[in-house]
Short mmCIF file of all heavy atoms in Angstrom, two decimals:
data_model
loop_
_atom_site.label_atom_id
_atom_site.label_comp_id
_atom_site.label_asym_id
_atom_site.label_seq_id
_atom_site.Cartn_x
_atom_site.Cartn_y
_atom_site.Cartn_z
N GLU A 633 23.89 73.11 -55.60
CA GLU A 633 24.11 72.23 -56.75
C GLU A 633 22.91 72.18 -57.68
O GLU A 633 23.07 72.02 -58.90
CB GLU A 633 24.45 70.81 -56.26
CG GLU A 633 25.84 70.70 -55.65
CD GLU A 633 26.09 69.35 -55.00
OE1 GLU A 633 25.10 68.58 -54.88
OE2 GLU A 633 27.23 69.07 -54.60
N SER A 634 21.71 72.33 -57.13
CA SER A 634 20.50 72.25 -57.95
C SER A 634 19.91 73.63 -58.26
O SER A 634 18.81 73.72 -58.80
CB SER A 634 19.44 71.40 -57.25
OG SER A 634 19.11 71.95 -55.99
N SER A 635 20.65 74.70 -57.93
CA SER A 635 20.13 76.05 -58.13
C SER A 635 20.66 76.65 -59.43
O SER A 635 21.59 76.11 -60.05
CB SER A 635 20.51 76.96 -56.96
OG SER A 635 21.88 77.31 -57.04
N ALA A 636 20.07 77.78 -59.82
CA ALA A 636 20.50 78.50 -61.01
C ALA A 636 21.31 79.74 -60.66
O ALA A 636 21.52 80.61 -61.50
CB ALA A 636 19.28 78.90 -61.84
N ILE A 637 21.77 79.84 -59.42
CA ILE A 637 22.55 81.01 -59.00
C ILE A 637 23.94 80.94 -59.62
O ILE A 637 24.64 79.92 -59.49
CB ILE A 637 22.65 81.05 -57.46
CG1 ILE A 637 21.25 81.23 -56.86
CG2 ILE A 637 23.56 82.17 -57.01
CD1 ILE A 637 21.22 81.25 -55.36
N PRO A 638 24.39 81.98 -60.32
CA PRO A 638 25.68 81.93 -61.03
C PRO A 638 26.88 81.61 -60.15
O PRO A 638 27.85 81.04 -60.61
CB PRO A 638 25.79 83.33 -61.64
CG PRO A 638 24.38 83.80 -61.78
CD PRO A 638 23.66 83.24 -60.59
N CYS A 639 26.82 82.00 -58.88
CA CYS A 639 27.98 81.81 -58.01
C CYS A 639 28.00 80.44 -57.35
O CYS A 639 28.80 80.21 -56.46
CB CYS A 639 27.98 82.88 -56.93
SG CYS A 639 26.73 82.58 -55.64
N ALA A 640 27.14 79.52 -57.76
CA ALA A 640 26.98 78.25 -57.04
C ALA A 640 28.29 77.50 -56.88
O ALA A 640 28.64 77.06 -55.78
CB ALA A 640 25.95 77.38 -57.76
N GLU A 641 29.05 77.36 -57.96
CA GLU A 641 30.30 76.59 -57.87
C GLU A 641 31.30 77.27 -56.95
O GLU A 641 31.97 76.61 -56.16
CB GLU A 641 30.89 76.42 -59.26
CG GLU A 641 30.05 75.52 -60.17
CD GLU A 641 30.74 75.27 -61.51
OE1 GLU A 641 31.89 75.78 -61.68
OE2 GLU A 641 30.16 74.59 -62.36
N ALA A 642 31.41 78.60 -57.04
CA ALA A 642 32.33 79.32 -56.17
C ALA A 642 31.91 79.20 -54.71
O ALA A 642 32.75 79.03 -53.82
CB ALA A 642 32.40 80.79 -56.58
N ALA A 643 30.61 79.27 -54.45
CA ALA A 643 30.13 79.16 -53.07
C ALA A 643 30.38 77.76 -52.53
O ALA A 643 30.80 77.60 -51.37
CB ALA A 643 28.64 79.48 -53.03
N ILE A 644 30.15 76.74 -53.34
CA ILE A 644 30.39 75.36 -52.90
C ILE A 644 31.87 75.17 -52.58
O ILE A 644 32.23 74.52 -51.58
CB ILE A 644 29.93 74.37 -53.98
CG1 ILE A 644 28.40 74.41 -54.09
CG2 ILE A 644 30.39 72.96 -53.65
CD1 ILE A 644 27.85 73.61 -55.25
N ALA A 645 32.74 75.73 -53.42
CA ALA A 645 34.18 75.62 -53.16
C ALA A 645 34.57 76.28 -51.85
O ALA A 645 35.38 75.75 -51.08
CB ALA A 645 34.95 76.24 -54.32
N LEU A 646 33.98 77.45 -51.57
CA LEU A 646 34.26 78.13 -50.30
C LEU A 646 33.84 77.27 -49.11
O LEU A 646 34.54 77.19 -48.10
CB LEU A 646 33.52 79.47 -50.26
CG LEU A 646 34.07 80.62 -51.11
CD1 LEU A 646 33.15 81.83 -51.01
CD2 LEU A 646 35.48 80.99 -50.64
N ILE A 647 32.67 76.65 -49.23
CA ILE A 647 32.13 75.86 -48.12
C ILE A 647 32.97 74.61 -47.88
O ILE A 647 33.31 74.27 -46.74
CB ILE A 647 30.66 75.50 -48.40
CG1 ILE A 647 29.80 76.77 -48.43
CG2 ILE A 647 30.14 74.51 -47.37
CD1 ILE A 647 28.40 76.55 -48.94
N ARG A 648 33.33 73.91 -48.95
CA ARG A 648 34.03 72.63 -48.80
C ARG A 648 35.48 72.80 -48.39
O ARG A 648 36.09 71.85 -47.87
CB ARG A 648 33.93 71.85 -50.11
CG ARG A 648 32.51 71.33 -50.37
CD ARG A 648 32.40 70.59 -51.68
NE ARG A 648 31.06 70.00 -51.83
CZ ARG A 648 30.60 69.45 -52.95
NH1 ARG A 648 31.37 69.41 -54.04
NH2 ARG A 648 29.39 68.94 -52.99
N THR A 649 36.05 73.97 -48.60
CA THR A 649 37.44 74.20 -48.20
C THR A 649 37.54 75.11 -46.97
O THR A 649 38.62 75.61 -46.67
CB THR A 649 38.22 74.85 -49.36
OG1 THR A 649 37.60 76.10 -49.73
CG2 THR A 649 38.24 73.92 -50.57
N ARG A 650 36.44 75.30 -46.28
CA ARG A 650 36.42 76.25 -45.16
C ARG A 650 37.27 75.75 -44.00
O ARG A 650 37.32 74.54 -43.71
CB ARG A 650 34.99 76.49 -44.68
CG ARG A 650 34.34 75.33 -43.97
CD ARG A 650 32.87 75.60 -43.65
NE ARG A 650 32.28 74.55 -42.85
CZ ARG A 650 31.82 73.42 -43.35
NH1 ARG A 650 31.90 73.19 -44.66
NH2 ARG A 650 31.28 72.51 -42.56
N THR A 651 37.93 76.67 -43.35
CA THR A 651 38.65 76.40 -42.11
C THR A 651 38.05 77.18 -40.96
O THR A 651 38.27 76.86 -39.80
CB THR A 651 40.14 76.77 -42.26
OG1 THR A 651 40.24 78.14 -42.65
CG2 THR A 651 40.80 75.89 -43.31
N SER A 652 37.29 78.23 -41.29
CA SER A 652 36.62 79.05 -40.28
C SER A 652 35.21 79.34 -40.76
O SER A 652 35.02 79.89 -41.85
CB SER A 652 37.39 80.36 -40.06
OG SER A 652 36.60 81.30 -39.35
N ASP A 653 34.22 78.95 -39.95
CA ASP A 653 32.82 79.21 -40.31
C ASP A 653 32.56 80.71 -40.43
O ASP A 653 31.86 81.16 -41.34
CB ASP A 653 31.88 78.59 -39.28
CG ASP A 653 31.80 77.08 -39.42
OD1 ASP A 653 32.39 76.54 -40.37
OD2 ASP A 653 31.15 76.44 -38.58
N THR A 654 33.12 81.48 -39.52
CA THR A 654 32.89 82.93 -39.53
C THR A 654 33.43 83.57 -40.80
O THR A 654 32.76 84.38 -41.45
CB THR A 654 33.55 83.58 -38.30
OG1 THR A 654 33.00 83.01 -37.10
CG2 THR A 654 33.32 85.09 -38.28
N GLU A 655 34.65 83.19 -41.18
CA GLU A 655 35.25 83.75 -42.39
C GLU A 655 34.49 83.29 -43.64
O GLU A 655 34.31 84.06 -44.58
CB GLU A 655 36.72 83.34 -42.48
CG GLU A 655 37.42 83.81 -43.74
CD GLU A 655 37.44 85.32 -43.89
OE1 GLU A 655 37.35 86.02 -42.86
OE2 GLU A 655 37.56 85.79 -45.04
N THR A 656 34.06 82.03 -43.65
CA THR A 656 33.32 81.53 -44.81
C THR A 656 32.01 82.30 -45.00
O THR A 656 31.65 82.66 -46.12
CB THR A 656 33.02 80.03 -44.63
OG1 THR A 656 34.26 79.32 -44.51
CG2 THR A 656 32.25 79.49 -45.83
#
């Protein structure tokens, strides 16, 4: 959330909707 990495929002969405840690 505090980074300048372009994929930040997509990565956060992947993490918050994860069902499998390995797949995430």
Side-chain angles (χ1 to χ4, degrees):
E633 288 172 351
S634 59
S635 75
I637 296 178
C639 74
E641 292 185 2
I644 292 172
L646 285 176
I647 295 170
R648 289 179 174 170
T649 59
R650 70 186 185 278
T651 56
S652 166
D653 286 354
T654 301
E655 177 61 25
T656 300

